[in-house]
Amino acid sequence: MIFDILTLFPEMFHSPLEGSILGKARDAGLIQVNLVNVRDYAEGRHRVTDDYPYGGGKGMIMKPEPIIRGIKAIQAGNPEARVILMTPQGTPLRHEVVKRLAQLAHLILVCGRYEGVDERVRDVADEEISIGDYVLTGGELTALVVIDAIARLIPGVLGDEGASEDDSFSQGLLEYPQYTRPRAFEGRKVPEVLLSGDHQAIERWRKRESLRRTWERRPDLLSQAGLSDEDQKILDEFTGSSGTD
Ligand code: 4GX
């Protein structure tokens, strides 16, 4: 998977992409990340990338030409690369979106700064992604989140083959509680069932705790989770519903 990042702040990507898992994935050639400075595509002695908004208003807007020239330069050799704009107005990033993007060979991630980008940049983007309903200082952290979430779905990146398949969200439910040694810490004990060696009982307990946690914290996920009749019965115990109405 190739990621081309268009940004005014390529340094922001250095440390996160050199870190353990993503650094190894790059060394192994499982992902490739190219940092492209938007300023390199700006013209004039001052290489200006922003300007005042037509119609007035506070703040500055990123000019269309440098970003679009940068996109076209990258696309010249890779016409099939998908252009994604990082913006609070985009499709909320969820596991399903990450899975879909992980199937693609080449993404161009466009990171805006200031109050935003000229609307004509939107017109050349294939899609827009948001990581949540809050405002960041730029799209760089969003691009890093997108790269990180996609990379761990690529076979080999987590080392253990298929390691990403049984974690939270791949099942549509929150993760069950996990424990490691010691068996007791400050009087708080590891649940007996996890020490029992009874793998079926452990699986049942984990499923039940996943359902409980999802019901308590993220009930919005339950309708999409594809629950079995068995799962539904367990849920009914938490809700106190008789299941007859
Ligand atoms: N999830 N921001 C982008 C500037 C901007 C605005 C509009 C393009 C169009 C954000 C988020 C986010 C702040 C990144 C505004 N660029 N990005 N930036 N939430 O808040 O993705």
Side-chain angles (χ1 to χ4, degrees):
M1 164 81 88
I2 300 172
F3 300 93
D4 284 298
I5 319 292
L6 272 163
T7 173
L8 285 172
F9 298 96
E11 329 77 56
M12 277 185 75
F13 292 82
H14 292 167
S15 169
L17 294 175
E18 280 155 20
S20 61
I21 293 180
L22 295 181
K24 280 184 193 134
R26 292 175 78 192
D27 291 343
L30 296 168
I31 63 168
Q32 182 187 319
V33 184
N34 304 315
L35 297 167
V36 181
N37 195 329
V38 173
R39 194 167 297 281
D40 293 346
Y41 291 93
E43 287 184 318
R45 193 158 64 86
H46 299 290
R47 300 202 166 257
V48 173
T49 57
D50 60 340
D51 205 343
Y52 298 95
Y54 274 122
K58 66 168 169 50
M60 301 294 273
I61 303 297
M62 286 183 82
K63 293 164 63 61
E65 312 96 308
I67 298 179
I68 292 173
R69 272 199 289 267
I71 291 172
K72 292 211 165 126
I74 297 162
Q75 280 180 325
N78 320 272
E80 79 304 345
R82 191 163 183 85
V83 180
I84 308 182
L85 181 65
M86 311 298 119
T87 157
Q89 297 157 59
T91 304
L93 189 66
R94 304 188 79 246
H95 184 61
E96 293 65 39
V97 175
V98 176
K99 272 198 296 191
R100 171 171 60 78
L101 297 178
Q103 301 307 308
L104 303 175
H106 193 155
L107 301 180
I108 300 173
L109 304 181
V110 181
C111 307
R113 278 268 152 179
Y114 317 115
E115 300 309 308
V117 297
D118 185 286
E119 190 65 18
R120 288 161 291 190
V121 171
R122 283 221 157 82
D123 301 337
V124 305
D126 295 305
E127 62 182 294
E128 303 182 16
I129 294 284
S130 165
I131 57 166
D133 297 337
Y134 39 78
V135 183
L136 302 170
T137 56
E140 286 77 10
L141 291 172
T142 299
L144 282 165
V145 167
V146 167
I147 294 168
D148 189 282
I150 290 175
R152 61 187 295 292
L153 296 184
I154 295 173
V157 168
L158 292 185
D160 200 359
E161 214 71 27
S164 62
E165 269 155 38
D166 58 58
D167 54 24
S168 215
F169 298 118
S170 54
Q171 315 286 353
L173 296 175
L174 299 184
E175 194 64 279
Y176 47 78
Q178 306 224 65
Y179 296 86
T180 184
R181 290 186 289 182
R183 279 175 70 152
F185 175 67
E186 295 182 347
R188 295 154 51 77
K189 297 196 181 88
V190 175
E192 277 301 329
V193 63
L194 298 179
L195 313 170
S196 69
D198 180 344
H199 297 294
Q200 278 197 340
I202 292 169
E203 279 318 298
R204 277 198 306 273
W205 182 85
R206 286 179 166 169
K207 185 51 160 293
R208 189 183 180 82
E209 294 306 314
S210 276
L211 287 164
R212 185 201 307 282
R213 214 158 247 203
T214 310
W215 178 67
E216 284 172 354
R217 300 184 184 193
R218 293 294 306 279
D220 57 297
L221 296 177
L222 289 170
S223 61
Q224 293 298 306
L227 301 180
S228 66
D229 290 352
E230 193 76 4
D231 297 338
Q232 192 56 55
K233 262 197 217 137
I234 295 169
L235 268 184
D236 291 346
E237 290 175 32
F238 305 144
T239 59
S241 152
S242 65
T244 52
D245 50 32

